[in-house]
Amino acid sequence: MTTITVLGNGRVGGNLATALTRAGHEVRVADRTPGAAADASRTAQVVINATPGAGSLDRLAALREELRGKILIDVSNATVDGPDGLPADLIYPGSSLAERLQEALPETRVVKTLNTMLFPVMTAPATLTQAPEAFLSGEDPQAKQTVRELLISLGWRTEWITDLGGIHTARATEAAILFVPHILRSNGFAPFAITIARSADLGLHRT
């Protein structure tokens, strides 16, 4: 069992909190009352950033002391929304929200994951007709292993989880958000995830 605080109680945060509780973890969701995020983060082993990405950096930088030594799982994408409310551009082109968070929180172990799918897939990956993929980006191997174990508790199979390397690799997965509005306009809000198709003939194996 892991003690987890979820920052953000919208569809993403609520979905993760419910599923992680069901998986046997001790979960607390921080509401928007003054001091709630600080109090909840202070007592957690793992903190999940499910706040709107455009304001995440300022919100979490203010929690530097509370997040010291913690694992911060960042599932948000920092985007500028278009007229229809869907992502139109990146707030941090040439960088990423995850990198900015790691810079602002040097004593926190930031891991980026679950940001390349619609939120229902985060906690029910097996419901898709094809195997989805969850990517990990982060500097700390032990933190990434902890996140991997949390994903497995949510139903992710080991072979569906790919470690991309350091936190700088998050700029690639965050840029994938620019696919999303086009997919949604084409297919509607049916759950989907970005994944990698590999050829067995080439002898490529997941690690």
Side-chain angles (χ1 to χ4, degrees):
M1 182 188 72
T2 303
T3 303
I4 302 168
T5 284
V6 179
L7 302 180
N9 56 0
R11 292 181 298 177
V12 174
N15 182 50
L16 285 168
T18 298
L20 287 165
T21 300
R22 189 182 301 122
H25 303 290
E26 182 181 333
V27 182
R28 182 176 178 184
V29 179
D31 60 30
R32 298 189 179 187
T33 58
D39 290 342
S41 299
R42 191 178 294 113
T43 59
Q45 297 169 289
V46 174
V47 176
I48 298 176
N49 174 40
T51 65
S56 289
L57 184 57
D58 288 341
R59 288 188 182 97
L60 273 69
L63 300 174
R64 180 168 176 167
E65 290 304 314
E66 289 81 4
L67 293 173
R68 187 189 302 272
K70 306 294 176 67
I71 296 172
L72 175 63
I73 302 176
D74 179 31
V75 303
S76 296
N77 290 300
T79 60
V80 177
D81 291 340
D84 57 1
L86 295 176
D89 207 349
L90 302 174
I91 291 179
Y92 306 113
S95 184
S96 64
L97 172 59
E99 289 174 273
R100 297 297 182 94
L101 288 171
Q102 188 62 86
E103 291 169 5
L105 303 165
E107 296 179 85
T108 301
R109 295 172 289 167
V110 179
V111 179
K112 189 83 181 190
T113 193
L114 295 180
N115 63 311
T116 55
M117 62 200 69
L118 283 190
F119 76 92
V121 181
M122 295 179 177
T123 58
T127 59
L128 297 184
T129 57
Q130 294 174 290
E133 194 127 9
F135 302 101
L136 302 178
S137 298
E139 298 299 324
D140 189 285
Q142 185 177 6
K144 286 192 282 189
Q145 179 59 32
T146 297
V147 176
R148 183 185 295 271
E149 292 167 2
L150 286 176
L151 293 182
I152 290 171
S153 76
L154 290 175
W156 287 86
R157 293 170 55 175
T158 300
E159 62 268 27
W160 296 350
I161 304 170
T162 298
D163 186 345
L164 296 179
I167 199 67
H168 69 281
T169 63
R171 67 182 63 179
T173 60
E174 289 190 27
I177 191 66
L178 298 181
F179 278 105
V180 171
H182 307 297
I183 295 171
L184 295 181
R185 293 185 191 110
S186 176
N187 299 318
F189 280 83
F192 72 89
I194 293 174
T195 190
I196 305 297
R198 295 174 171 84
S199 172
D201 292 339
L202 294 178
L204 299 179
H205 302 283
R206 297 184 180 219
T207 57

